[in-house]
Amino acid sequence: MLTLAVQKSGRLTKKTLSLLKECDIKLQNGERAKLKTRAKNFDLETLFMRDDDIPEVVFDEIADVGVVGENVFLEKQRDVEIIKRLGFASCRLSLAIPKDQGYNGIDDFENKKIGSNHLLTNFLLLFFQSFT
């Protein structure tokens, strides 16, 4: 049996369930996200969980594969690989400065504090390292 980990809610959930439907995979409880469900017509178990947990459950071999945003994949830094970029979701990293401050380039952020609504420490570090 193949075990797939997907977000329990969020932007990727709807697209992932649509992809399963396009593949004619029918989940036992339809598109209602329970903790887990099996497919009626395919040897598949689907686990619904927080996106932050998906790289970990794939790494720990609780799930065989997972669908997660690349930002979460990069942030978690687990020894798992991207098999395929599905291309149905995207995220954007935006850095903002006060309107009255001139912007001269990425170096303007050196030694600055960055506030975020997510804990993306590793993701931001990788982003800034890409400019060095």
Side-chain angles (χ1 to χ4, degrees):
M1 175 177 301
L2 178 69
T3 303
L4 170 68
V6 301
Q7 270 186 307
K8 63 181 175 182
S9 62
R11 294 179 293 170
L12 290 178
T13 308
K14 193 172 194 176
K15 295 284 189 174
T16 302
L17 294 174
S18 291
L19 179 61
L20 292 175
K21 189 180 276 188
E22 286 176 33
C23 296
D24 200 33
I25 296 174
K26 295 172 176 55
L27 300 180
Q28 286 181 353
N29 26 336
E31 293 186 8
R32 291 175 294 156
K34 302 281 186 186
L35 177 60
K36 69 179 180 176
T37 188
R38 290 195 173 183
K40 296 177 188 178
N41 60 338
F42 190 79
D43 203 12
L44 173 74
E45 180 176 60
T46 304
L47 306 175
F48 295 95
M49 58 187 49
R50 290 178 347 106
D51 61 341
D52 289 350
D53 296 333
I54 293 173
E56 189 71 31
V57 299
V58 172
F59 176 77
D60 289 340
E61 299 179 354
I62 295 166
D64 300 305
V65 293
V67 178
V68 70
E70 194 166 350
N71 58 324
V72 174
F73 172 84
L74 292 171
E75 180 63 27
K76 295 303 174 180
Q77 296 187 341
R78 302 309 289 167
D79 188 20
V80 294
E81 67 178 299
I82 295 174
I83 298 170
K84 179 162 181 67
R85 286 175 175 83
L86 299 173
F88 56 60
S90 64
C91 73
R92 178 182 69 214
L93 174 63
S94 298
L95 298 171
I97 59 172
K99 286 184 179 182
D100 61 348
Q101 180 180 330
Y103 178 71
N104 299 309
I106 199 73
D107 291 337
D108 286 356
F109 291 98
E110 190 171 338
N111 298 318
K112 300 284 194 248
K113 291 181 182 179
I114 298 177
S116 172
N117 62 344
H118 296 286
L119 297 174
L120 298 175
T121 309
N122 293 323
F123 185 68
L124 284 170
L125 182 61
L126 289 169
F127 172 77
F128 283 113
Q129 285 175 346
S130 72
F131 289 94
T132 59

